[in-house]
Amino acid sequence: MTILATSRRVLSTGHLRVQPRNAVCQARWESKAVEGVKTVRDTALPSMRQNKQAESTDRQTVRPLVQVSRGAQNAQTQADKTPWLSEAEEAKLDTMRDAQSEIRGVLDTVLRQFSAPIRYAFAYGSGVYKQSGYGASKPMVDLIFGVSHPDHWHALNIAQHRNHYSFMGTLGANAVSFVQDRMGAGVYYNPFIEINGVVVKYGVVSMSTLSSDLLNWDSLYLAGRMHKPTLTLRRDPLMRISKQVNLTHAVRAALLMLPKTFTTEELFMCIASLSFTGDIRMRIGGENPRKVQNIVEAQLPLFKSRYTSIIEGLPNLEYIGQNLLQQNMAPQERASMLRKMPNNFYDRLLKQGRKAGIRLPPGFGAERVNTERLVEVDNIGQIATKAVESIVAWPALTQSLKGVLSSGLTKSVSYMRAKNSKYRNN
């Protein structure tokens, strides 16, 4: 499937799925097509316009792509200013954008050291964006490479950079790509690689796996990381659409877990926590227990820049103050919002709801009744949290275990020690 054909499909449905698993999924899939058009047209594309401007160093006004929502129209009239930022936050955002430009220049030289073709690439984590609570130490930079054919890519990369791989490199590209695709979340990492004086950990993922996770929340491994600020190094048209759909899903999931009125910081804390919910590293000390708070505190202007047009494009959510939001708690509105969520999340939510004792009949015809029953219960936030946890837990565990194969035992132990000492010493 070509990029153009895939992009048209996403624009027409708001989702990317090769084939629904059964007739019920097929019927639910088809029913979402019309709503998908509105999701991408009124929410995703206006958001892409603002995010492209936020990443651009010259701050040019982006030409309108479609008829946009009220919130995005307001953003257009203030092309070099993000709504709902204080003057201090605007100044901080300008500083962050300048730093982005500098970091991008450094990392571009890193990417040029790879002969194997990289279709899409982004950087994320504390090596790119400062997090509260850490000292002046220079952390490893996390990179993700989206590639078309992982087996071919690894064959070229092993020939060029055999020293980047563990013993898996000796087994060949087919073995590496097998481990990448069949274990964990579909990502193969090479950590502690020094290139041009920069220490990086780069992960390789197929474009189809990445796109599906963003749109369908298969594992939330990469989709969850992309809920937080990321730095795009190589662009791809399909990814621009998929990223915005993913961010919209994140806001809607957070709304299920939040009360009627809440602050923007509470919203972003909830969004940033999604990918850590169920992650075994948070339970065994593999991550800083204050990591979510540290991310949001240090990167709040970036979160606002990233999400403001999405927030203003949602009909059931509105600003009622500088940093205060209010959502429509009417069951019909919340149920409608829930029906626009990825099928994987919806299925997990039904399962957790039944475990909680809610009577939820099976079948596509019961979808409207089920969603309305779910949003009416007082503990819908807990049920939604458990649904996210059930998506994240197994891929996160198996991806961590895969690190022993992809990184080797020595590097895996060193990585875990570095993660622990990084927050214990700060």
Side-chain angles (χ1 to χ4, degrees):
M1 182 180 293
T2 64
I3 295 235
L4 180 58
T6 305
S7 300
R8 285 173 177 168
R9 183 180 180 185
V10 174
L11 281 169
S12 64
T13 63
H15 296 272
L16 177 66
R17 172 163 286 185
V18 175
Q19 195 64 255
R21 290 168 293 181
N22 52 45
V24 172
C25 288
Q26 176 69 42
R28 184 170 190 268
W29 168 254
E30 291 173 352
S31 74
K32 291 174 117 179
V34 175
E35 290 182 345
V37 173
K38 188 175 186 301
T39 298
V40 179
R41 184 192 62 206
D42 294 343
T43 304
L45 291 176
S47 306
M48 286 189 295
R49 187 161 49 251
Q50 183 178 353
N51 285 340
K52 183 179 180 181
Q53 174 211 329
E55 293 173 354
S56 174
T57 56
D58 57 9
R59 311 283 173 79
Q60 293 180 348
T61 302
V62 180
R63 181 175 298 175
L65 300 178
V66 293
Q67 183 66 29
V68 293
S69 62
R70 173 182 54 82
Q73 286 176 340
N74 182 59
Q76 277 186 276
T77 61
Q78 299 181 11
D80 55 357
K81 185 175 182 180
T82 302
W84 307 110
L85 285 178
S86 65
E87 290 186 5
E89 288 174 329
E90 283 283 359
K92 186 175 181 180
L93 183 60
D94 287 340
T95 301
M96 288 178 168
R97 286 171 174 169
D98 291 339
Q100 281 180 345
S101 180
E102 182 178 345
I103 294 170
R104 184 181 288 110
V106 173
L107 295 181
D108 279 343
T109 65
V110 171
L111 264 62
R112 285 197 289 271
Q113 302 307 308
F114 292 87
S115 298
I118 300 171
R119 270 182 57 186
Y120 177 72
F122 68 90
Y124 68 97
S126 58
V128 180
Y129 297 107
K130 183 176 175 59
Q131 298 177 13
S132 300
Y134 296 116
S137 59
K138 196 173 183 179
M140 182 166 54
V141 176
D142 296 312
L143 301 172
I144 291 293
F145 298 161
V147 303
S148 299
H149 306 288
D151 50 351
H152 177 63
W153 195 92
H154 285 297
L156 295 175
N157 200 48
I158 289 172
Q160 183 186 14
H161 299 298
R162 173 61 186 86
N163 61 316
H164 289 188
Y165 291 80
S166 65
F167 70 93
M168 289 294 300
T170 305
L171 301 180
N174 289 336
V176 171
S177 61
F178 178 87
V179 170
Q180 173 181 321
D181 293 334
R182 301 299 180 89
M183 296 179 63
V187 189
Y188 190 97
Y189 280 106
N190 285 325
F192 295 107
I193 307 299
E194 184 171 348
I195 303 175
N196 291 352
V198 182
V199 179
V200 303
K201 177 183 75 173
Y202 67 89
V204 181
V205 62
S206 72
M207 291 294 287
S208 59
T209 297
L210 176 57
S211 298
S212 185
D213 194 32
L214 292 173
L215 297 170
N216 302 321
W217 282 16
D218 299 324
S219 68
L220 269 174
Y221 190 84
L222 292 177
R225 280 155 177 76
M226 295 176 76
H227 291 160
K228 277 83 76 175
T230 58
L231 182 62
T232 303
L233 304 173
R234 294 273 175 88
R235 300 184 184 279
D236 180 89
L238 175 60
M239 286 299 104
R240 290 189 60 209
I241 298 171
S242 302
K243 279 168 41 178
Q244 300 309 316
V245 173
N246 177 47
L247 297 183
T248 305
H249 288 334
V251 174
R252 287 173 171 152
L255 292 180
L256 291 173
M257 305 173 189
L258 290 166
K260 180 177 181 178
T261 303
F262 48 89
T263 65
T264 52
E265 186 169 355
E266 288 172 332
L267 173 64
F268 300 141
M269 287 278 288
C270 191
I271 290 173
S273 69
L274 293 175
S275 63
F276 296 107
T277 304
D279 192 335
I280 191 173
R281 296 175 302 169
M282 300 298 288
R283 301 177 182 176
I284 64 174
E287 281 287 3
N288 187 341
R290 285 177 48 86
K291 188 175 184 69
V292 173
Q293 184 174 347
N294 291 341
I295 291 172
V296 176
E297 284 181 351
Q299 302 171 25
L300 187 57
L302 287 171
F303 273 95
K304 287 186 176 183
S305 174
R306 194 175 186 83
Y307 283 98
T308 293
S309 64
I310 292 176
I311 293 169
E312 294 187 334
L314 292 174
N316 60 323
L317 183 62
E318 62 178 346
Y319 279 100
I320 58 173
Q322 177 73 19
N323 290 300
L324 197 61
L325 290 161
Q326 182 173 283
Q327 64 170 312
N328 188 338
M329 299 296 283
Q332 296 84 356
E333 290 290 334
R334 285 165 68 77
S336 174
M337 176 185 73
L338 177 54
R339 289 192 291 272
K340 297 172 185 175
M341 293 295 290
N343 283 350
N344 190 33
F345 175 80
Y346 174 76
D347 292 342
R348 305 292 182 117
L349 197 68
L350 285 182
K351 185 176 181 180
Q352 295 301 323
R354 292 183 178 117
K355 284 184 178 180
I358 306 172
R359 295 185 61 184
L360 302 169
F364 170 72
E367 183 184 44
R368 182 174 296 274
V369 173
N370 286 341
T371 53
E372 290 180 358
R373 287 182 181 179
L374 281 166
V375 298
E376 285 179 338
V377 299
D378 293 334
N379 62 335
I380 179 60
Q382 297 175 6
I383 295 173
T385 300
K386 289 181 179 179
V388 172
E389 181 178 341
S390 69
I391 296 174
V392 171
W394 181 249
L397 172 61
T398 51
Q399 183 70 39
S400 296
L401 295 175
K402 183 168 71 175
V404 178
L405 294 176
S406 61
S407 308
L409 183 60
T410 302
K411 283 187 176 181
S412 296
V413 172
S414 299
Y415 180 71
M416 290 302 297
R417 286 177 176 172
K419 295 287 284 186
N420 276 272
S421 63
K422 184 167 67 171
Y423 71 83
R424 291 184 188 279
N425 294 335
N426 292 282

